[in-house]
Every structure is written in structure tokens, then in C-alpha cells.
Amino acid sequence: MKKFSTRTMVFIGMMAALSCVATLFLKVEIPTPLGKTMFHFGDVFCLSAAMLFGPIGGGLAGGIGMALADLLGGWADSSLTTLLFKFLEGVICGLIAYSGHRCGRKLGFNIAGAAAGTVAYIALYLGKSFVKAVWLLHTEVGTALTDCSVKLLNSSIKGVVSVVVAVALTALLQKALREKLS
């Protein structure tokens, strides 16, 4: 496994903090039949960290940052799944962006990685939501599907926005960070 320099660890920690803050404060809560979901900008920093620092860096930034946001924002019951799901989102994005020694430097692979990580997260989130509604809350399947459809719409819009913003942010930060980290 790749070792991170102290400077890289600090940057990953900063991205986790930005992910936490963006989730807590740059959000809109949306009601669903079984509670609520959120439109937030935390994913931007998870995806950007994955394109800048690779799969583990992105996974750590997103997983830790958004799990911390869950703990601080009143969603503590979701923090462990958020840690795992957002970690996987960052890992998938980073694996594609860093494939073939590209190191996050190819726009097409960054877009594909960010999109793949986002789609994987949405699938995990909707699967968890459906299973929780039907098996744990004993909700009727129709109600659970309605809840998931609202979450799918929100997550899809948030995903597209996150991919676009993260890819643009990464392009802006890449040159400066590469010079600092070399």
C-alpha cells in the first residue's frame, strides 16, 4: 500500500473537514414518506480527494468527513453505513481516476471515476433505505418504494452536481497541489 507523506495526510484531513462542513452547512433537507433525505455538497470533497490523492485518500476524506457530519448533525444511527458507503464511493472514484498510472490527470477518467463512485453510493444508499424500511420498520413495500423514489431523484440530482463541481474543483487544485506535494 502507498505511504502518505505528512503533507498529504494533512490535505486528506482538510478534505474530510471540508466534506463534514459542506454536509452540515451546505444542505437542504427534503421530506420523504419515511423521514427525510438531504441535498448537500459533502460528496464534492470526497470525489475531489479521490481524484487528487487516490482511492484511499478519497475514501478516507469522504468516509470520515461525512460520518462525522452524521454524528454531529443528528444522524448518528447512519454514521457507520455512511463511513462505509462514502469510503467505497471515494475508493471507486480513485481506482478509476488512478487506473493505468493516470494519477487523476485525465479528465475523462476523472469524470468516469466520479460518476461510477456516485452511482455505487446511490445503489448502496437506496438498498440500505429499502431494506431498513421493509425489514426493520415493517413498512409496506409500496411506501418503501415511494420513499426510495424520492431519495433516488434527490441523490441523482445531487450526484450530477457533485460530479461536475468535483471535477472542476479538482482541475483547479491539481497543479498547485502537485507542485506542493512533489
Side-chain angles (χ1 to χ4, degrees), residues 20-137:
C20 178
V21 169
T23 302
L24 286 172
F25 299 110
L26 299 176
K27 70 177 178 181
V28 175
E29 292 185 354
I30 300 167
T32 70
L34 298 176
K36 59 187 171 182
T37 189
M38 285 192 308
F39 182 98
H40 62 82
F41 287 93
D43 292 310
V44 168
F45 299 100
C46 171
L47 297 171
S48 190
M51 290 180 271
L52 292 168
F53 306 112
I56 301 301
L60 290 172
I64 293 170
M66 285 181 266
L68 186 58
D70 279 357
L71 289 171
L72 297 172
W75 303 68
D77 61 327
S78 297
S79 63
L80 286 178
T81 53
T82 297
L83 176 67
L84 175 62
F85 293 174
K86 294 299 182 178
F87 180 81
L88 291 172
E89 179 180 14
V91 166
I92 291 167
C93 175
L95 284 172
I96 294 171
Y98 272 62
S99 64
H101 304 289
R102 287 179 187 84
C103 297
R105 292 186 200 128
K106 296 291 184 181
L107 180 64
F109 281 85
N110 285 354
I111 293 169
T118 298
V119 168
Y121 170 75
I122 291 170
L124 290 166
Y125 173 62
L126 294 177
K128 176 203 131 195
S129 296
F130 183 79
V131 167
K132 179 181 175 183
V134 173
W135 288 354
L136 297 177
L137 301 177

